């Protein structure tokens, strides 16, 4: 399995209030191999979507986050854990800049148990605050779930935020 991806970002959204708690900056990475039927973000399944992630783009994202009214960073997709080339430097630099004064939420189609037992991925659990895990399952869809699409998906609070 290639967890690195093609290093591309589909979109960055500022001042988002639906992707976690508080007002946030949301980064949507390009590419997901899960292809869950009914996925809301099927338009960015392709790893060739969007723009190439650069150090300048990283700085632009951090500048958006570096505002007193921004609570943190949300990373969605696409599949963040099939895009380590993007999210590894993003998370590492975020922590160097902001420490634990702001938080990181990640949405992944992988279950937390899989992430824990995959050496390439497990670092993520020590460096983010909230993981929303599991694939979207259309038959388990509920419209009023907070931060999730289907009831099989779980919210793991990994730190005391
Ligand atoms: S894992 Fe997420 S982005 Fe990928 S197909 Fe499933 S719902 Fe869509």
């Amino acid at each position: 399995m290639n967890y690195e991806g093609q290093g591309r970002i589909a979109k960055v959204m500022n001042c988002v209030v639906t992707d976690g708690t508080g007002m946030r900056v949301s980064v949507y990475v390009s590419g997901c191999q899960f292809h869950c039927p009914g996925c809301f973000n099927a338009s960015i399944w392709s790893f060739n979507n969007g723009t190439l992630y650069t150090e300048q783009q990283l700085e632009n994202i951090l500048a958006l986050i570096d505002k007193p009214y921004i609570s943190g960073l949300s990373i969605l997709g696409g599949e963040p854990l099939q895009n380590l080339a993007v999210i590894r430097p993003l998370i590492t630099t975020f922590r160097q800049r902001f420490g634990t004064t702001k938080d990181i939420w990640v949405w992944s189609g992988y279950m937390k148990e899989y992430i824990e037992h995959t050496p390439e991925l497990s670092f993520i659990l020590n460096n983010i605050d909230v993981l929303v895990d599991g694939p979207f399952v259309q038959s388990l869809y509920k419209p009023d779930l907070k931060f999730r699409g289907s009831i099989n998906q779980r919210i793991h609070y990994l730190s005391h935020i």
Side-chain angles (χ1 to χ4, degrees):
M1 167 62 77
N2 172 12
Y3 298 111
E4 292 297 313
Q6 299 294 325
R8 301 181 82 88
I9 287 185
K11 63 180 172 182
V12 176
M13 295 178 68
N14 195 15
C15 299
V16 178
V17 294
T18 49
D19 295 340
T21 53
M23 190 172 283
R24 317 184 62 78
V25 173
S26 294
V27 173
Y28 288 76
V29 295
S30 295
C32 177
Q33 296 179 21
F34 286 120
H35 294 193
C36 310
C39 168
F40 297 139
N41 291 325
S43 63
I44 52 173
W45 282 352
S46 168
F47 285 85
N48 295 318
N49 204 297
T51 56
L52 203 56
Y53 179 68
T54 62
E55 283 189 25
Q56 184 57 55
Q57 195 174 19
L58 170 61
E59 287 303 326
N60 293 345
I61 292 167
L62 294 173
L64 292 176
I65 297 168
D66 193 13
K67 299 283 188 305
Y69 52 83
I70 294 294
S71 303
L73 167 68
S74 299
I75 307 175
L76 313 90
E79 172 52 58
L81 299 190
Q82 292 168 1
N83 272 283
L84 296 188
V86 172
I87 76 162
R88 189 189 295 108
L90 183 56
I91 290 173
T92 303
T93 313
F94 177 104
R95 286 300 177 207
Q96 288 167 354
R97 268 320 141 84
F98 304 117
T100 55
T101 61
K102 295 175 187 279
D103 58 32
I104 303 176
W105 287 52
V106 171
W107 277 255
S108 175
Y110 292 111
M111 307 285 284
K112 177 170 174 276
E113 294 77 4
Y114 179 89
I115 299 169
E116 276 168 350
H117 294 104
T118 304
E120 298 95 320
L121 303 180
S122 57
F123 78 95
I124 201 93
L125 298 175
N126 297 323
N127 289 286
I128 67 171
D129 298 284
V130 179
L131 171 73
V132 184
D133 79 347
F136 174 69
V137 178
Q138 203 161 19
S139 60
L140 300 177
Y141 167 70
K142 290 266 187 279
D144 53 351
L145 293 174
K146 213 168 182 190
F147 309 132
R148 301 173 293 153
S150 53
I151 58 173
N152 62 297
Q153 295 172 310
R154 304 171 299 176
I155 303 176
H156 302 277
Y157 293 93
L158 304 170
S159 68
H160 301 288
I161 57 173

PDB file of all heavy atoms in Angstrom, residues 112-133:
ATOM      1  N   LYS A 112      -9.201   3.176  13.695  1.00  0.00           N
ATOM      2  CA  LYS A 112      -8.115   3.509  14.625  1.00  0.00           C
ATOM      3  C   LYS A 112      -7.223   2.288  14.896  1.00  0.00           C
ATOM      4  O   LYS A 112      -5.994   2.408  14.962  1.00  0.00           O
ATOM      5  CB  LYS A 112      -8.707   4.033  15.936  1.00  0.00           C
ATOM      6  CG  LYS A 112      -7.685   4.353  17.013  1.00  0.00           C
ATOM      7  CD  LYS A 112      -8.368   5.079  18.164  1.00  0.00           C
ATOM      8  CE  LYS A 112      -7.422   5.289  19.339  1.00  0.00           C
ATOM      9  NZ  LYS A 112      -7.365   4.117  20.224  1.00  0.00           N
ATOM     10  N   GLU A 113      -7.820   1.112  15.016  1.00  0.00           N
ATOM     11  CA  GLU A 113      -7.037  -0.093  15.310  1.00  0.00           C
ATOM     12  C   GLU A 113      -6.056  -0.412  14.175  1.00  0.00           C
ATOM     13  O   GLU A 113      -4.937  -0.865  14.412  1.00  0.00           O
ATOM     14  CB  GLU A 113      -7.975  -1.289  15.543  1.00  0.00           C
ATOM     15  CG  GLU A 113      -8.841  -1.182  16.782  1.00  0.00           C
ATOM     16  CD  GLU A 113     -10.047  -0.237  16.635  1.00  0.00           C
ATOM     17  OE1 GLU A 113     -10.276   0.289  15.530  1.00  0.00           O
ATOM     18  OE2 GLU A 113     -10.742  -0.034  17.652  1.00  0.00           O
ATOM     19  N   TYR A 114      -6.493  -0.196  12.943  1.00  0.00           N
ATOM     20  CA  TYR A 114      -5.602  -0.414  11.793  1.00  0.00           C
ATOM     21  C   TYR A 114      -4.445   0.577  11.839  1.00  0.00           C
ATOM     22  O   TYR A 114      -3.281   0.219  11.608  1.00  0.00           O
ATOM     23  CB  TYR A 114      -6.398  -0.254  10.491  1.00  0.00           C
ATOM     24  CG  TYR A 114      -5.559  -0.426   9.240  1.00  0.00           C
ATOM     25  CD1 TYR A 114      -5.388  -1.684   8.665  1.00  0.00           C
ATOM     26  CD2 TYR A 114      -4.916   0.665   8.647  1.00  0.00           C
ATOM     27  CE1 TYR A 114      -4.612  -1.849   7.522  1.00  0.00           C
ATOM     28  CE2 TYR A 114      -4.126   0.508   7.516  1.00  0.00           C
ATOM     29  CZ  TYR A 114      -3.982  -0.756   6.962  1.00  0.00           C
ATOM     30  OH  TYR A 114      -3.204  -0.911   5.839  1.00  0.00           O
ATOM     31  N   ILE A 115      -4.759   1.821  12.136  1.00  0.00           N
ATOM     32  CA  ILE A 115      -3.722   2.872  12.189  1.00  0.00           C
ATOM     33  C   ILE A 115      -2.697   2.536  13.274  1.00  0.00           C
ATOM     34  O   ILE A 115      -1.487   2.650  13.056  1.00  0.00           O
ATOM     35  CB  ILE A 115      -4.378   4.249  12.447  1.00  0.00           C
ATOM     36  CG1 ILE A 115      -5.344   4.593  11.313  1.00  0.00           C
ATOM     37  CG2 ILE A 115      -3.323   5.340  12.614  1.00  0.00           C
ATOM     38  CD1 ILE A 115      -6.242   5.794  11.590  1.00  0.00           C
ATOM     39  N   GLU A 116      -3.188   2.104  14.406  1.00  0.00           N
ATOM     40  CA  GLU A 116      -2.295   1.761  15.532  1.00  0.00           C
ATOM     41  C   GLU A 116      -1.294   0.675  15.163  1.00  0.00           C
ATOM     42  O   GLU A 116      -0.161   0.685  15.626  1.00  0.00           O
ATOM     43  CB  GLU A 116      -3.135   1.238  16.715  1.00  0.00           C
ATOM     44  CG  GLU A 116      -3.712   2.305  17.578  1.00  0.00           C
ATOM     45  CD  GLU A 116      -4.760   1.751  18.544  1.00  0.00           C
ATOM     46  OE1 GLU A 116      -5.163   0.573  18.419  1.00  0.00           O
ATOM     47  OE2 GLU A 116      -5.185   2.519  19.401  1.00  0.00           O
ATOM     48  N   HIS A 117      -1.729  -0.266  14.335  1.00  0.00           N
ATOM     49  CA  HIS A 117      -0.901  -1.432  14.028  1.00  0.00           C
ATOM     50  C   HIS A 117      -0.174  -1.320  12.689  1.00  0.00           C
ATOM     51  O   HIS A 117       0.385  -2.309  12.206  1.00  0.00           O
ATOM     52  CB  HIS A 117      -1.749  -2.705  14.089  1.00  0.00           C
ATOM     53  CG  HIS A 117      -2.228  -2.998  15.472  1.00  0.00           C
ATOM     54  ND1 HIS A 117      -3.525  -2.765  15.881  1.00  0.00           N
ATOM     55  CD2 HIS A 117      -1.566  -3.442  16.565  1.00  0.00           C
ATOM     56  CE1 HIS A 117      -3.637  -3.074  17.166  1.00  0.00           C
ATOM     57  NE2 HIS A 117      -2.472  -3.490  17.601  1.00  0.00           N
ATOM     58  N   THR A 118      -0.185  -0.143  12.106  1.00  0.00           N
ATOM     59  CA  THR A 118       0.526   0.082  10.838  1.00  0.00           C
ATOM     60  C   THR A 118       1.664   1.054  11.095  1.00  0.00           C
ATOM     61  O   THR A 118       1.411   2.237  11.373  1.00  0.00           O
ATOM     62  CB  THR A 118      -0.440   0.641   9.762  1.00  0.00           C
ATOM     63  OG1 THR A 118      -1.537  -0.269   9.633  1.00  0.00           O
ATOM     64  CG2 THR A 118       0.258   0.802   8.428  1.00  0.00           C
ATOM     65  N   PRO A 119       2.912   0.582  11.063  1.00  0.00           N
ATOM     66  CA  PRO A 119       4.040   1.431  11.470  1.00  0.00           C
ATOM     67  C   PRO A 119       4.117   2.752  10.709  1.00  0.00           C
ATOM     68  O   PRO A 119       4.460   3.777  11.295  1.00  0.00           O
ATOM     69  CB  PRO A 119       5.263   0.548  11.161  1.00  0.00           C
ATOM     70  CG  PRO A 119       4.747  -0.839  11.210  1.00  0.00           C
ATOM     71  CD  PRO A 119       3.332  -0.789  10.742  1.00  0.00           C
ATOM     72  N   GLU A 120       3.771   2.747   9.407  1.00  0.00           N
ATOM     73  CA  GLU A 120       3.848   4.004   8.631  1.00  0.00           C
ATOM     74  C   GLU A 120       2.833   5.038   9.108  1.00  0.00           C
ATOM     75  O   GLU A 120       3.010   6.233   8.872  1.00  0.00           O
ATOM     76  CB  GLU A 120       3.577   3.733   7.141  1.00  0.00           C
ATOM     77  CG  GLU A 120       4.579   2.816   6.465  1.00  0.00           C
ATOM     78  CD  GLU A 120       4.092   1.372   6.452  1.00  0.00           C
ATOM     79  OE1 GLU A 120       3.512   0.904   7.464  1.00  0.00           O
ATOM     80  OE2 GLU A 120       4.298   0.699   5.433  1.00  0.00           O
ATOM     81  N   LEU A 121       1.755   4.573   9.745  1.00  0.00           N
ATOM     82  CA  LEU A 121       0.644   5.478  10.078  1.00  0.00           C
ATOM     83  C   LEU A 121       0.537   5.822  11.555  1.00  0.00           C
ATOM     84  O   LEU A 121      -0.064   6.838  11.918  1.00  0.00           O
ATOM     85  CB  LEU A 121      -0.694   4.852   9.638  1.00  0.00           C
ATOM     86  CG  LEU A 121      -0.836   4.485   8.165  1.00  0.00           C
ATOM     87  CD1 LEU A 121      -2.213   3.889   7.907  1.00  0.00           C
ATOM     88  CD2 LEU A 121      -0.608   5.701   7.281  1.00  0.00           C
ATOM     89  N   SER A 122       1.101   4.991  12.415  1.00  0.00           N
ATOM     90  CA  SER A 122       0.781   5.117  13.841  1.00  0.00           C
ATOM     91  C   SER A 122       1.252   6.441  14.457  1.00  0.00           C
ATOM     92  O   SER A 122       0.675   6.890  15.452  1.00  0.00           O
ATOM     93  CB  SER A 122       1.354   3.934  14.620  1.00  0.00           C
ATOM     94  OG  SER A 122       2.733   3.852  14.409  1.00  0.00           O
ATOM     95  N   PHE A 123       2.255   7.098  13.853  1.00  0.00           N
ATOM     96  CA  PHE A 123       2.723   8.373  14.410  1.00  0.00           C
ATOM     97  C   PHE A 123       1.599   9.390  14.499  1.00  0.00           C
ATOM     98  O   PHE A 123       1.601  10.275  15.356  1.00  0.00           O
ATOM     99  CB  PHE A 123       3.859   8.956  13.544  1.00  0.00           C
ATOM    100  CG  PHE A 123       3.383   9.636  12.277  1.00  0.00           C
ATOM    101  CD1 PHE A 123       3.180  11.004  12.242  1.00  0.00           C
ATOM    102  CD2 PHE A 123       3.112   8.899  11.143  1.00  0.00           C
ATOM    103  CE1 PHE A 123       2.717  11.629  11.090  1.00  0.00           C
ATOM    104  CE2 PHE A 123       2.642   9.518   9.982  1.00  0.00           C
ATOM    105  CZ  PHE A 123       2.444  10.880   9.957  1.00  0.00           C
ATOM    106  N   ILE A 124       0.634   9.235  13.621  1.00  0.00           N
ATOM    107  CA  ILE A 124      -0.449  10.217  13.543  1.00  0.00           C
ATOM    108  C   ILE A 124      -1.210  10.305  14.866  1.00  0.00           C
ATOM    109  O   ILE A 124      -1.630  11.385  15.296  1.00  0.00           O
ATOM    110  CB  ILE A 124      -1.398   9.842  12.372  1.00  0.00           C
ATOM    111  CG1 ILE A 124      -2.197  11.049  11.923  1.00  0.00           C
ATOM    112  CG2 ILE A 124      -2.352   8.778  12.689  1.00  0.00           C
ATOM    113  CD1 ILE A 124      -1.536  11.753  10.821  1.00  0.00           C
ATOM    114  N   LEU A 125      -1.368   9.168  15.514  1.00  0.00           N
ATOM    115  CA  LEU A 125      -2.194   9.147  16.719  1.00  0.00           C
ATOM    116  C   LEU A 125      -1.545   9.905  17.876  1.00  0.00           C
ATOM    117  O   LEU A 125      -2.231  10.350  18.790  1.00  0.00           O
ATOM    118  CB  LEU A 125      -2.484   7.699  17.133  1.00  0.00           C
ATOM    119  CG  LEU A 125      -3.279   6.896  16.100  1.00  0.00           C
ATOM    120  CD1 LEU A 125      -3.404   5.444  16.537  1.00  0.00           C
ATOM    121  CD2 LEU A 125      -4.659   7.513  15.874  1.00  0.00           C
ATOM    122  N   ASN A 126      -0.228  10.065  17.838  1.00  0.00           N
ATOM    123  CA  ASN A 126       0.467  10.806  18.897  1.00  0.00           C
ATOM    124  C   ASN A 126       0.550  12.297  18.595  1.00  0.00           C
ATOM    125  O   ASN A 126       1.050  13.065  19.421  1.00  0.00           O
ATOM    126  CB  ASN A 126       1.889  10.269  19.073  1.00  0.00           C
ATOM    127  CG  ASN A 126       1.882   8.834  19.516  1.00  0.00           C
ATOM    128  OD1 ASN A 126       1.023   8.437  20.305  1.00  0.00           O
ATOM    129  ND2 ASN A 126       2.807   8.042  19.003  1.00  0.00           N
ATOM    130  N   ASN A 127       0.104  12.685  17.423  1.00  0.00           N
ATOM    131  CA  ASN A 127       0.318  14.077  17.004  1.00  0.00           C
ATOM    132  C   ASN A 127      -0.951  14.825  16.633  1.00  0.00           C
ATOM    133  O   ASN A 127      -0.873  15.983  16.230  1.00  0.00           O
ATOM    134  CB  ASN A 127       1.289  14.102  15.821  1.00  0.00           C
ATOM    135  CG  ASN A 127       2.693  13.755  16.260  1.00  0.00           C
ATOM    136  OD1 ASN A 127       3.365  14.564  16.881  1.00  0.00           O
ATOM    137  ND2 ASN A 127       3.120  12.527  15.978  1.00  0.00           N
ATOM    138  N   ILE A 128      -2.085  14.154  16.772  1.00  0.00           N
ATOM    139  CA  ILE A 128      -3.349  14.855  16.507  1.00  0.00           C
ATOM    140  C   ILE A 128      -4.209  14.779  17.766  1.00  0.00           C
ATOM    141  O   ILE A 128      -3.908  14.027  18.705  1.00  0.00           O
ATOM    142  CB  ILE A 128      -4.100  14.266  15.298  1.00  0.00           C
ATOM    143  CG1 ILE A 128      -4.602  12.845  15.587  1.00  0.00           C
ATOM    144  CG2 ILE A 128      -3.219  14.307  14.057  1.00  0.00           C
ATOM    145  CD1 ILE A 128      -5.530  12.298  14.524  1.00  0.00           C
ATOM    146  N   ASP A 129      -5.290  15.540  17.776  1.00  0.00           N
ATOM    147  CA  ASP A 129      -6.140  15.604  18.961  1.00  0.00           C
ATOM    148  C   ASP A 129      -7.412  14.789  18.810  1.00  0.00           C
ATOM    149  O   ASP A 129      -7.897  14.217  19.785  1.00  0.00           O
ATOM    150  CB  ASP A 129      -6.492  17.068  19.244  1.00  0.00           C
ATOM    151  CG  ASP A 129      -5.240  17.869  19.528  1.00  0.00           C
ATOM    152  OD1 ASP A 129      -4.700  17.752  20.638  1.00  0.00           O
ATOM    153  OD2 ASP A 129      -4.761  18.573  18.613  1.00  0.00           O
ATOM    154  N   VAL A 130      -7.946  14.758  17.599  1.00  0.00           N
ATOM    155  CA  VAL A 130      -9.205  14.033  17.384  1.00  0.00           C
ATOM    156  C   VAL A 130      -9.117  13.270  16.066  1.00  0.00           C
ATOM    157  O   VAL A 130      -8.690  13.833  15.042  1.00  0.00           O
ATOM    158  CB  VAL A 130     -10.418  15.001  17.350  1.00  0.00           C
ATOM    159  CG1 VAL A 130     -11.709  14.233  17.100  1.00  0.00           C
ATOM    160  CG2 VAL A 130     -10.523  15.795  18.650  1.00  0.00           C
ATOM    161  N   LEU A 131      -9.519  12.000  16.107  1.00  0.00           N
ATOM    162  CA  LEU A 131      -9.610  11.175  14.899  1.00  0.00           C
ATOM    163  C   LEU A 131     -11.061  10.757  14.718  1.00  0.00           C
ATOM    164  O   LEU A 131     -11.670  10.192  15.635  1.00  0.00           O
ATOM    165  CB  LEU A 131      -8.749   9.914  15.045  1.00  0.00           C
ATOM    166  CG  LEU A 131      -8.920   8.868  13.947  1.00  0.00           C
ATOM    167  CD1 LEU A 131      -8.270   9.341  12.637  1.00  0.00           C
ATOM    168  CD2 LEU A 131      -8.319   7.517  14.360  1.00  0.00           C
ATOM    169  N   VAL A 132     -11.616  11.056  13.544  1.00  0.00           N
ATOM    170  CA  VAL A 132     -12.926  10.514  13.183  1.00  0.00           C
ATOM    171  C   VAL A 132     -12.636   9.389  12.198  1.00  0.00           C
ATOM    172  O   VAL A 132     -12.059   9.631  11.133  1.00  0.00           O
ATOM    173  CB  VAL A 132     -13.829  11.591  12.548  1.00  0.00           C
ATOM    174  CG1 VAL A 132     -15.218  11.017  12.262  1.00  0.00           C
ATOM    175  CG2 VAL A 132     -13.935  12.813  13.464  1.00  0.00           C
ATOM    176  N   ASP A 133     -12.985   8.156  12.558  1.00  0.00           N
ATOM    177  CA  ASP A 133     -12.496   7.014  11.777  1.00  0.00           C
ATOM    178  C   ASP A 133     -13.598   6.212  11.095  1.00  0.00           C
ATOM    179  O   ASP A 133     -14.773   6.351  11.414  1.00  0.00           O
ATOM    180  CB  ASP A 133     -11.603   6.114  12.642  1.00  0.00           C
ATOM    181  CG  ASP A 133     -12.406   5.186  13.565  1.00  0.00           C
ATOM    182  OD1 ASP A 133     -13.627   5.392  13.727  1.00  0.00           O
ATOM    183  OD2 ASP A 133     -11.801   4.264  14.132  1.00  0.00           O
TER     184      ASP A 133
END
